[in-house]
């Protein structure tokens, strides 16, 4: 463990003096925009016989165990300090391996509301097996730490280049199962990307983490044109954009209020409607982000999109989809899309072509190795995730029924 990490771990223990009796910090496992995460051993694990491991049979997280009462040979007893009952519980169950936790130290610069939001949403989702649950949280003045069960996973960079199409389907199935549960609770994750989905290739299972940007659907939204029927949308756009020689294509007298839309998320994974500042964003924004993950897997390029800002991000998307479809996509939200950038063609390219190119399977316009049948199916599914129009884009629930993901892995 390097010195600064050691120093930080000691500082954390000094902030929470009771930590030493409860956790043994092992190492730093993550450093994100909003937090530092440590792996630790829960020293009271055996004592309370509590397991937050995912039970592979029931596919459920074990429930909070601290005050659980148990029936031991007919008598109701409380698992706790009573050494006798503790012993009898233990002897009935096989000894489990030591329990590890992830301790997420949230930066003090995060707003209290944001922290509360993350903890609340995690609490709401606690019964979902594919969302990493919250065991507990501590606060000391402005410092908040969340304690989560440690989920064994592999770094995306280690495996994304070697995945076969069947492996991609298993990965996506697990990710969409998680997402379907989150969306069913009317929650938008808003930051779907590989580092927030802890995946274990050896089991084909993953859990969703990082609800720091998540929100309840509709909590931060105002009506957007994209939710109107087409005729209403067209009339409103026509009224706003009166053609004028001097301001060609720009609103002559734009009386609309300045738009403020939630644009949180990670560059490169933001859905077009997020970039077009849609004020009525839905859970479909997460599906787009999964589409970008699949695009990464199929193209074997990570990160696939690499923009510095939202305008660049729009250009990157437009390069693939073409200016004509981008224009239509922008209009859904009352936005004009114009560009003179030469690399953005009118019609763009098919996803199939993008993937062949990325894998160097096209040379001088000649296809060296065409897509196999399962690759074609994956690309068809990809097109459903990367639909520029959120209303026709596939939902997480529908994705699980799609031919590409339908076969449940054994
Ligand atoms: P941030 O908001 O800073 O991005 P995350 O919740 O995404 O914080 O966690 C950052 C990283 O820490 C993750 O990408 C992952 O590598 C690691 N991590 C987070 N939670 C866990 C967990 N429960 N088990 C194992 N590793 C975790
Ligand atoms: Mg994260």
């Amino acid at each position: 463990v390097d010195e600064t990490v050691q120093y930080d771990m000691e500082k954390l223990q000094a902030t929470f003096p009771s930590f030493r009796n409860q956790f043994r910090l092992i190492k730093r496992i993550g450093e994100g925009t909003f937090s530092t995460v440590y792996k630790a051993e829960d020293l009271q694990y055996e004592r309370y016989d509590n397991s937050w491991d995912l039970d592979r049979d029931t596919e459920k997280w074990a429930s909070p165990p601290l005050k659980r009462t148990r029936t031991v040979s007919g008598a109701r007893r409380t698992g706790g300090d009573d050494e006798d009952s503790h012993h009898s519980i233990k002897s009935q169950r096989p000894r489990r391996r030591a329990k590890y936790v992830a301790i997420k130290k949230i930066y003090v610069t995060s707003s209290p509301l944001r922290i509360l939001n993350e903890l609340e949403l995690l609490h709401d989702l606690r019964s979902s097996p594919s969302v990493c649950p919250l065991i507990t949280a501590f606060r000391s003045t402005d410092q908040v730490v969340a304690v989560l069960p440690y989920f064994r996973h592999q770094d995306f960079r280690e495996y994304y280049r070697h995945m076969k199409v069947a492996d991609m389907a298993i990965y996506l199935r697990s990710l969409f199962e998680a997402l379907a549960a989150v969306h069913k609770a009317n929650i938008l994750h808003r930051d779907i990307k590989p580092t927030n989905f802890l995946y274990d290739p050896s089991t084909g299972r993953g859990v969703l983490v990082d609800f720091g940007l998540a929100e309840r659907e509709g909590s931060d939204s105002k009506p957007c044109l994209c939710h109107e029927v087409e005729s209403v949308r067209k009339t409103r756009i026509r009224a706003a954009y009166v053609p004028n020689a001097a301001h060609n294509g720009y609103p002559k007298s734009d009386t609309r209020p300045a738009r403020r839309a939630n644009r949180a998320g990670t560059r490169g994974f933001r859905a077009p409607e997020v970039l077009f500042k849609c004020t009525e964003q839905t859970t479909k924004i997460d599906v787009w982000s999964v589409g970008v993950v699949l695009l990464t897997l199929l193209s074997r390029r990570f990160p696939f999109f690499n923009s510095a800002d939202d305008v660049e991000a729009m250009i990157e998307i437009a390069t693939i989809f073409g200016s004509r479809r981008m224009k239509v996509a922008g209009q859904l939200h009352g936005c004009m899309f114009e560009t003179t950038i030469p690399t953005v063609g009118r019609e763009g390219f098919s996803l199939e072509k993008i993937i062949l190119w990325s894998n160097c399977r096209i040379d001088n316009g000649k296809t060296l190795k065409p897509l196999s049948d399962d690759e074609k199916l994956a690309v068809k599914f990809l097109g459903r995730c990367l639909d520029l129009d959120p209303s026709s884009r596939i939902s997480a629930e529908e994705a699980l029924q799609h031919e590409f993901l339908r076969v449940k892995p054994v």
Side-chain angles (χ1 to χ4, degrees):
V1 180
D2 89 47
E3 262 173 45
T4 54
V5 175
Q6 191 64 45
Y7 173 77
D8 284 344
M9 294 199 318
E10 266 155 34
K11 228 171 85 187
L12 182 62
Q13 282 175 323
T15 313
F16 299 97
S18 63
F19 250 47
R20 267 183 227 282
N21 312 324
Q22 264 189 69
F23 304 109
R24 181 178 65 85
L25 290 175
I26 299 170
K27 59 174 181 181
R28 187 175 69 190
I29 47 177
E31 195 165 33
T33 340
F34 306 107
S35 72
T36 304
V37 181
Y38 301 93
K39 181 177 183 177
E41 185 184 349
D42 183 345
L43 299 171
Q44 310 203 351
Y45 174 75
E46 284 296 331
R47 178 174 147 93
Y48 289 107
D49 184 36
N50 59 2
S51 162
W52 273 93
D53 292 330
L54 194 59
D55 185 324
R56 306 258 172 224
D57 298 327
T58 62
E59 300 211 331
K60 287 217 161 53
W61 292 99
S63 53
L66 289 176
K67 292 207 180 67
R68 191 165 48 184
T69 54
R70 275 181 204 289
T71 309
V72 181
S73 28
R76 207 169 153 77
R77 296 202 192 173
T78 309
D81 286 327
D82 183 345
E83 278 305 313
D84 251 14
S85 75
H86 196 64
H87 184 76
S88 49
I89 291 167
K90 254 192 194 163
S91 57
Q92 284 180 345
R93 293 165 154 247
R95 245 181 100 86
R96 292 201 184 94
R97 65 179 175 78
K99 189 184 106 187
Y100 294 101
V101 292
I103 295 185
K104 177 167 175 170
K105 177 172 157 261
I106 300 170
Y107 294 148
V108 294
T109 45
S110 298
S111 87
L113 267 180
R114 217 195 96 106
I115 300 172
L116 179 68
N117 181 60
E118 175 168 8
L119 301 182
E120 264 182 7
L121 294 179
L122 277 181
H123 184 72
D124 281 11
L125 293 164
R126 65 190 178 280
S127 62
S128 170
S130 42
V131 172
C132 194
L134 183 66
I135 297 176
T136 185
F138 300 91
R139 180 182 69 87
S140 169
T141 62
D142 56 356
Q143 181 61 71
V144 176
V145 297
V147 182
L148 312 148
Y150 178 82
F151 191 87
R152 193 176 55 143
H153 63 284
Q154 231 184 66
D155 193 325
F156 185 73
R157 287 170 198 273
E158 285 170 24
Y159 57 78
Y160 80 94
R161 251 171 290 163
H162 318 293
M163 271 184 158
K164 296 194 180 73
V165 177
D167 300 327
M168 296 178 198
I170 295 169
Y171 177 96
L172 285 177
R173 182 163 184 94
S174 179
L175 180 48
F176 269 119
E177 270 170 2
L179 219 44
V182 172
H183 292 173
K184 201 166 169 215
N186 295 315
I187 292 170
L188 283 72
H189 184 280
R190 264 198 186 285
D191 201 13
I192 296 294
K193 57 177 174 179
T195 50
N196 289 337
F197 181 59
L198 311 181
Y199 184 71
D200 181 355
S202 70
T203 60
R205 297 226 25 169
V207 293
L208 213 46
V209 295
D210 198 354
F211 284 71
L213 297 172
E215 65 182 39
R216 281 177 227 281
E217 200 172 27
S219 65
D220 183 23
S221 89
K222 278 190 302 189
C224 174
L225 278 182
C226 66
H227 281 68
E228 300 285 354
V229 294
E230 200 176 340
S231 57
V232 174
R233 189 161 54 230
K234 288 237 160 95
T235 318
R236 296 240 192 111
I237 291 174
R238 222 172 290 132
Y241 295 90
V242 179
N244 173 302
H247 313 269
N248 202 1
Y250 285 91
K252 193 178 171 198
S253 53
D254 192 348
T255 52
R256 298 168 306 165
R259 284 164 80 97
R260 189 200 65 85
N262 196 334
R263 281 167 47 239
T266 301
R267 269 181 290 129
F269 292 91
R270 286 192 192 121
E273 63 270 29
V274 178
L275 301 174
F276 283 125
K277 299 188 185 163
C278 168
T279 53
E280 206 174 354
Q281 297 170 22
T282 67
T283 51
K284 297 286 184 69
I285 64 166
D286 293 335
V287 176
W288 175 276
S289 309
V290 181
V292 177
V293 177
L294 179 55
L295 182 57
T296 307
L297 293 175
L298 287 166
S299 66
R300 302 182 199 279
R301 294 195 185 214
F302 181 59
F304 188 88
F305 292 119
N306 202 3
S307 52
D309 55 46
D310 277 359
V311 174
E312 250 182 54
M314 239 182 260
I315 300 300
E316 286 181 327
I317 295 176
T319 308
I320 296 182
F321 293 90
S323 61
R324 184 182 59 80
R325 280 186 284 173
M326 271 313 258
K327 228 176 228 163
V328 176
Q331 278 177 359
L332 285 175
H333 316 284
C335 276
M336 294 293 278
F337 180 85
E338 293 283 353
T339 174
T340 50
I341 293 176
T343 50
V344 179
R346 195 178 131 78
E347 291 306 322
F349 306 96
S350 68
L351 289 169
E352 173 165 349
K353 205 157 218 170
I354 299 289
I355 283 151
L356 288 172
W357 261 326
S358 310
N359 287 288
C360 307
R361 282 158 65 173
I362 292 185
D363 185 38
N364 268 328
K366 198 169 148 263
T367 303
L368 307 174
K369 184 172 173 243
L371 293 186
S372 63
D373 285 349
D374 59 348
E375 282 176 320
K376 274 188 190 147
L377 183 59
V379 171
K380 196 169 133 196
F381 179 70
L382 176 64
R384 295 291 291 113
C385 299
L386 296 180
D387 183 337
L388 292 171
D389 181 350
S391 68
S392 51
R393 188 178 308 147
I394 199 166
S395 70
E397 198 59 57
E398 288 162 350
L400 293 172
Q401 300 306 318
H402 191 279
E403 209 185 335
F404 181 53
L405 298 187
R406 212 159 41 205
V407 204
K408 199 173 167 139
V410 278

